[in-house]
Amino acid sequence: VQSGLAIVDLARDVLGTLERLRAPGAARIRSDAHDHLDRLVGPGMLARVGTSRVSDLQRWVKGIRYRLDHLAGRVDRDLAGMNEVLPVEHRLAQRLAEYPNGAEPENLRKIAFSIEELRIAIFAQDLGVAQQVSSVRLLRELG
């Protein structure tokens, strides 16, 4: 429970940063970061990741904050990172749509966690990744 509250507090901090982000050309980045935060934090977040990944969840949310905190002068680089990760996320969404909610196979859940690690590798590498991952490999796994 304590970890969950820390994650919610961190998410609130990220939302504050998003509200202040008005840099030219950052609208797509702000939208992507907001959508990402919404996917990670909310009702059922701890059940979705499981107790073994709570610290990963916290690191993933910290990754969003890191990304936003280090955006200055790097908008083009961030947009290039989005161009790498978004096709993988869209392909995962297509694959997940093939199954009733909650009935997706374990390998797709693992790929979803790998996508979070890909986002850390692209946007917040200094926080460290739990596994080596690439968009090419994930797209190949998604078929």
Side-chain angles (χ1 to χ4, degrees):
V1 175
Q2 196 85 348
S3 297
L5 293 175
I7 292 168
V8 169
D9 284 344
L10 184 58
R12 191 175 312 118
D13 180 48
V14 171
L15 284 173
T17 302
L18 281 169
E19 288 174 13
R20 292 186 301 277
L21 180 61
R22 299 288 175 225
R28 283 186 57 215
I29 295 167
R30 188 173 53 248
S31 177
D32 178 66
H34 193 277
D35 291 348
H36 185 205
L37 186 64
D38 279 350
R39 282 193 309 272
L40 291 176
V41 179
M45 67 181 175
L46 299 179
R48 276 193 306 278
V49 299
T51 55
S52 65
R53 292 195 187 263
V54 171
S55 62
D56 289 330
L57 177 59
Q58 188 165 14
R59 183 172 46 84
W60 298 334
V61 175
K62 284 180 181 178
I64 300 170
R65 182 177 65 190
Y66 183 96
R67 174 188 182 186
L68 298 173
D69 288 347
H70 293 83
L71 188 59
R74 299 170 69 179
V75 170
D76 289 342
R77 182 174 161 187
D78 193 283
L79 291 170
M82 284 175 53
N83 288 337
E84 183 176 345
V85 75
L86 290 178
V88 182
E89 290 178 345
H90 290 141
R91 182 63 184 130
L92 176 63
Q94 289 172 333
R95 291 293 314 278
L96 289 172
E98 298 170 8
Y99 302 92
N101 195 17
E104 63 276 352
E106 182 62 26
N107 72 313
L108 291 183
R109 281 190 219 110
K110 287 180 180 177
I111 290 173
F113 296 141
S114 293
I115 291 171
E116 296 304 332
E117 294 301 324
L118 178 63
R119 279 185 166 272
I120 291 292
I122 291 171
F123 299 116
Q125 196 171 39
D126 287 350
L127 298 182
V129 293
Q131 67 186 60
Q132 295 301 314
V133 65
S134 77
S135 57
V136 172
R137 191 190 89 215
L138 291 173
L139 284 170
R140 188 172 40 245
E141 288 180 28
L142 287 164

